[in-house]
Amino acid sequence: EKKAEPKKAPEIPPHKGKSETIKLFNGKDLDGWEGYKDLWSVKDGVIVAHNDKPLKVSTYLFTKGKFADFRLLFSAKLGAINETHSGVALWGKQITAPGKGLDPVKDHAEYTYQGHLVMFPSGWGLYDLYRRNGLKVPAEMLAAERKAGKQHDWNDMEILAQGNRIRLVLNGKLVLDWRDPEPKLIAEGPIALQLHSDQKAQEVLFKGLEVTTFPEEKLLTAKD
């Protein structure tokens, strides 16, 4: 029997709308963001995600605004105490972690995400949270991400999300160019930063976080 050919993703063009550049993070506090104040803080101009007690479910820091097509410029790194990946979630919505039998308030389960996740570092790749799970990314793209990425140092990233296409520039290299074969699963939604569920203490740091809505189709940070 012949295997079914993988479904070719349609090419949805960039959407049109008002283009403006917004500093999502003011460098001082979490004004404009929503999440657990005991897990997210600001120190020395950097957003710090930190948990000491086990986290039963991944939790997120959400922008109050919603975004469809956008360019996000930011830097992120893992703290020295953990190897668990983080990521930026997009094109989805805030949910309470379903199907886990958790107490939303006691178990830090109110601020989770259903939607797409651009993962980093620790394996990199793409995920569809609370839907399709792992998304198929070509092996050569994963290899490029791992080669360009730094496990415990700052990674400078540019996410360009347009139509059904996600591109990622990592430390000056275009490493990911992916189209969603199911565009109906894409929606305008908040951008959110991930603190992954784990039994151990973790720390993830974010800075920059400047977004441009309905941007030109151009990668600003790619050097090749």
Side-chain angles (χ1 to χ4, degrees):
E1 267 186 45
K2 278 191 178 177
K3 275 192 174 176
E5 287 290 316
K7 185 178 173 186
K8 187 166 174 4
E11 295 192 8
I12 308 296
H15 298 104
K16 289 186 168 44
K18 184 184 177 188
S19 183
E20 57 182 331
T21 298
I22 305 158
K23 279 192 173 2
L24 294 176
F25 173 45
N26 63 18
K28 298 178 290 186
D29 55 36
L30 295 177
D31 184 42
W33 297 84
E34 295 178 301
Y36 287 111
K37 293 198 166 52
D38 60 329
L39 298 176
W40 297 91
S41 63
V42 175
K43 186 177 179 183
D44 300 327
V46 172
I47 293 176
V48 180
H50 186 98
N51 67 293
D52 290 314
K53 296 176 183 168
L55 272 184
K56 295 180 182 177
V57 63
S58 296
T59 189
Y60 296 78
L61 185 68
F62 287 76
T63 59
K64 290 182 178 176
K66 292 183 177 181
F67 302 90
D69 285 26
F70 64 87
R71 176 190 293 109
L72 179 69
L73 299 173
F74 70 106
S75 300
K77 75 170 181 175
L78 287 187
I81 60 173
N82 63 296
E83 304 297 333
T84 312
H85 75 257
S86 179
V88 168
L90 60 145
W91 286 347
K93 63 183 179 180
Q94 181 181 339
I95 59 168
T96 298
K100 292 183 181 277
L102 301 177
D103 179 314
V105 177
K106 287 182 184 170
D107 292 322
H108 281 117
E110 298 162 290
Y111 288 100
T112 194
Y113 202 101
Q114 181 184 61
H116 297 66
L117 182 73
V118 178
M119 296 159 58
F120 56 81
S122 303
W124 301 84
L126 292 169
Y127 206 81
D128 189 22
L129 303 155
Y130 291 99
R131 284 190 305 212
R132 294 169 291 179
N133 300 326
L135 294 170
K136 191 149 180 61
V137 172
E140 64 270 18
M141 290 187 187
L142 284 175
E145 289 182 310
R146 289 169 185 151
K147 185 178 177 185
K150 302 168 187 174
Q151 184 68 2
H152 288 289
D153 202 351
W154 287 106
N155 290 286
D156 298 326
M157 288 177 269
E158 174 182 359
I159 295 173
L160 187 60
Q162 293 177 298
N164 65 330
R165 187 181 190 187
I166 295 175
R167 281 176 277 184
L168 172 66
V169 179
L170 167 60
N171 298 321
K173 298 271 185 193
L174 175 61
V175 292
L176 178 72
D177 189 347
W178 178 86
R179 285 187 183 273
D180 196 323
E182 298 185 57
K184 68 179 187 296
L185 295 179
I186 294 169
E188 181 183 63
I191 294 169
L193 315 178
Q194 186 192 58
L195 179 60
H196 199 281
S197 58
D198 205 335
Q199 293 299 304
K200 302 173 187 170
Q202 310 175 81
E203 191 164 87
V204 191
L205 312 174
F206 296 86
K207 64 182 180 180
L209 295 158
E210 182 178 280
V211 71
T212 300
T213 60
F214 301 103
E216 60 180 328
E217 198 166 347
K218 181 181 177 184
L219 296 165
L220 295 187
T221 60
K223 291 172 185 163
D224 51 4

